[in-house]
Amino acid sequence: MAAYRIVFANEKGGSGKSTTAVHTAVALAARGRRVAAIDLDTRQRTLGRYLENRAALMKRDGVDLPLPVHETFDPAAGHSIESRMDALAADADILVIDTPGRDDDHVRVAISTADTLVTPINDSFVDLDLIGQVDPDSYKIRRPSFYAELVWDARKARGKRDGATVDWVVLRNRLQHLEARNMRRVAAALAELSKRVGFRVIPGLSERVVYRELFPKGLTLLDLGAIGQDAGMAHVAARGELRELIAGLQLPDPESGRARAA
């Protein structure tokens, strides 16, 4: 069976896209899935560097941690993005694809191959503007924005190629730092927009210092016990968010191959 492809994409930076992609890949690998990952951001290489740091820690300290097969795409190597994704997917159950915070041909190809497209956004109207323009007085959606149109085109390309659909998931990150009225307005606008352009909304990861602290060693929230570090209350809460995020993706059952739950 072909590897299930999860693409993390958002043209706006600072949404926690790469952090979410890494944690998703490692969490699925920890559950016994054969996970591969590819970083299409040849400049920042956050996902690639994160997993390289992880491999270096495992070698240096002799610890055994789940580690997805991974690479950072290099267009100068002369390989097409399709061929590199296919090569990584060949021996995997799941391929996680992290994209740069910009629009380019490689990102569009990746989205058009996605089974699940994850768009993390900070819970604000600034980020919401990426996918829908909001009336400043009523806070109602005026019309979908350019990114929604890009996804629409990618979905049409996927349907034309093999008849499959792209499950678009909008991930609401950093919920806790907004006052309640603004949260309600953003939630209402997202609910309205989701019906118009066809995406699901699930909760993501809160803003926590721990994510920035873990990066240099390539660790995730799931690894603290393996390295002998006790988890504080913030870590426990963050792990709960991660579990909820993975459940919200509604990935196929690895044993039965059933489609995503309704």
Side-chain angles (χ1 to χ4, degrees), residues 137-212:
D137 297 317
S138 67
Y139 296 99
K140 297 290 186 180
I141 295 293
R142 284 178 169 175
R143 56 184 171 273
S145 293
F146 65 93
Y147 191 73
E149 296 171 358
L150 183 153
V151 174
W152 173 252
D153 290 341
R155 281 171 147 174
K156 287 193 297 183
R158 176 70 193 272
K160 185 176 181 180
R161 184 174 64 252
D162 58 16
T165 59
V166 178
D167 179 28
W168 188 11
V169 177
V170 171
L171 198 69
R172 295 177 69 190
N173 277 340
R174 298 170 177 151
L175 289 171
Q176 71 207 46
H177 292 292
L178 300 177
E179 53 94 7
R181 183 173 61 178
N182 193 61
M183 286 181 64
R184 289 194 299 269
R185 285 173 173 170
V186 172
L190 275 170
E192 178 187 350
L193 186 59
S194 69
K195 296 174 184 176
R196 293 178 60 174
V197 301
F199 57 75
R200 299 188 291 115
V201 182
I202 65 173
L205 304 177
S206 299
E207 174 66 29
R208 298 185 188 277
V209 175
V210 63
Y211 293 117
R212 294 188 288 275

Side-chain angles (χ1 to χ4, degrees), residues 227-241:
I227 62 171
Q229 180 176 335
D230 293 332
M233 291 302 296
H235 298 82
V236 173
R239 283 202 296 240
E241 293 171 355

Side-chain angles (χ1 to χ4, degrees), residues 89-100:
D91 296 318
D93 302 322
I94 293 175
L95 176 62
V96 172
I97 303 166
D98 191 25
T99 64

Side-chain angles (χ1 to χ4, degrees), residues 7 47 91 93 97 99 102-104 121 161 248:
V7 177
L47 179 139
D91 296 318
D93 302 322
I97 303 166
T99 64
R102 62 178 183 272
D103 178 23
D104 64 25
I121 65 171
R161 184 174 64 252

